[in-house]
Amino acid sequence: MTALLFQKGRSLIILFVILISWLFIWNHLNIEFAGKILSFFFQVEKSSFLFFFLSSFLLLTFSLTLLFLWKLFFREISFLKTHNKMIFFLYGLPLLIFFLSFILSPDVPPEEVFLTQFSFFALSFSQDIFAFGILQSILEKIVCDIWATVLTTTMFFIGHTGFFPPGIFILLYVFGFFLFGFLRYKTKNIYALNIVCLLYTSPSPRDRG
């Protein structure tokens, strides 16, 4: 009995340390922090789409490095595996919505269209890798899959505090986060939730123009 309580207590401590450490890194894994690093190498105006592109590219590089290390230590990346190859065609949906919005605004330069879309894809994929990929996979080694999903979704929600729209629109974000967690739990990979995330965050010309 004592050994069981000790084991559970140790698991809770490990779980707490993992969540706090993840949240600390998450709070620095953002455009602002990436921009500070970029400022040492480039002189780019922070309000420009080029700054957003470079920062997103840096975050994507960080996430891909994490994937490399994950593969090195665990030999496989289960959250990037899928038997349903048709899921990749669904990435055309956020692409279509994005480009249609810019076609309706011909005053936006084509290079800004491309770089902005790449930036949102890079940022979204980086965040989903770090949360529903890396964090959830670690948690699944400590607790059951359902609790890992609940904890990851909760941390993803906390990590976005301060970025929610005002008023009743926050309910759309709450529903979105719930949907992300549900899709991750059901599909065992991050593709479906990443597509939904892109549909939620696909920019309009007003966002970047």
Side-chain angles (χ1 to χ4, degrees), residues 137-148:
S137 296
I138 292 174
L139 294 178
E140 286 173 350
K141 299 179 183 299
I142 303 174
V143 297
C144 66
D145 290 356
I146 293 180
W147 273 110

Side-chain angles (χ1 to χ4, degrees), residues 46-91:
K46 288 188 176 182
S47 59
S48 68
F49 71 90
L50 183 58
F51 172 84
F52 184 63
F53 165 75
L54 292 173
S55 300
S56 301
F57 182 80
L58 186 61
L59 294 179
L60 179 61
T61 302
F62 174 79
S63 297
L64 292 178
T65 302
L66 286 180
L67 285 180
F68 173 77
L69 294 175
W70 186 272
K71 176 74 173 179
L72 196 64
F73 284 101
F74 298 104
R75 304 300 180 187
E76 66 174 2
I77 308 176
S78 59
F79 55 85
L80 291 183
K81 288 185 176 181
T82 178
H83 297 293
N84 182 17
K85 304 303 181 182
M86 293 296 294
I87 191 70
F88 298 111
F89 289 99
L90 293 179
Y91 275 98

Side-chain angles (χ1 to χ4, degrees), residues 12-205:
L12 287 175
I13 293 174
I14 293 174
L15 193 64
F16 179 78
V17 171
I18 290 173
L19 293 177
I20 294 299
S21 300
W22 180 90
L23 191 60
F24 175 81
I25 297 173
W26 175 273
N27 286 333
H28 291 82
L29 189 68
N30 52 41
I31 296 296
E32 290 76 14
F33 183 72
K36 292 178 180 178
I37 298 176
L38 287 173
S39 64
F40 288 105
F41 305 98
F42 303 98
Q43 292 297 325
V44 182
E45 186 178 347
K46 288 188 176 182
S47 59
S48 68
F49 71 90
L50 183 58
F51 172 84
F52 184 63
F53 165 75
L54 292 173
S55 300
S56 301
F57 182 80
L58 186 61
L59 294 179
L60 179 61
T61 302
F62 174 79
S63 297
L64 292 178
T65 302
L66 286 180
L67 285 180
F68 173 77
L69 294 175
W70 186 272
K71 176 74 173 179
L72 196 64
F73 284 101
F74 298 104
R75 304 300 180 187
E76 66 174 2
I77 308 176
S78 59
F79 55 85
L80 291 183
K81 288 185 176 181
T82 178
H83 297 293
N84 182 17
K85 304 303 181 182
M86 293 296 294
I87 191 70
F88 298 111
F89 289 99
L90 293 179
Y91 275 98
L93 291 176
L95 274 172
L96 179 63
I97 292 174
F98 179 86
F99 283 112
L100 282 177
S101 69
F102 276 93
I103 289 173
L104 298 176
S105 298
D107 55 311
V108 181
E111 64 272 14
E112 182 171 345
V113 175
F114 174 78
L115 292 179
T116 304
Q117 182 62 80
F118 176 85
S119 301
F120 271 86
F121 267 70
L123 183 61
S124 174
F125 199 62
S126 298
Q127 290 184 343
D128 291 341
I129 286 175
F130 191 56
F132 293 99
I134 300 295
L135 176 62
Q136 184 155 338
S137 296
I138 292 174
L139 294 178
E140 286 173 350
K141 299 179 183 299
I142 303 174
V143 297
C144 66
D145 290 356
I146 293 180
W147 273 110
T149 302
V150 171
L151 289 172
T152 302
T153 305
T154 302
M155 297 304 291
F156 196 70
F157 179 86
I158 294 174
H160 281 82
T161 303
F163 297 94
F164 300 129
I168 195 172
F169 291 103
I170 191 175
L171 295 178
L172 292 175
Y173 272 65
V174 174
F175 172 76
F177 291 145
F178 172 80
L179 184 59
F180 297 163
F182 174 78
L183 290 173
R184 173 64 169 85
Y185 176 74
K186 296 297 291 185
T187 64
K188 306 302 180 184
N189 59 64
I190 67 171
Y191 298 118
L193 74 91
N194 182 241
I195 291 170
V196 174
C197 184
L198 285 168
L199 291 173
Y200 258 74
T201 59
S202 285
S204 68

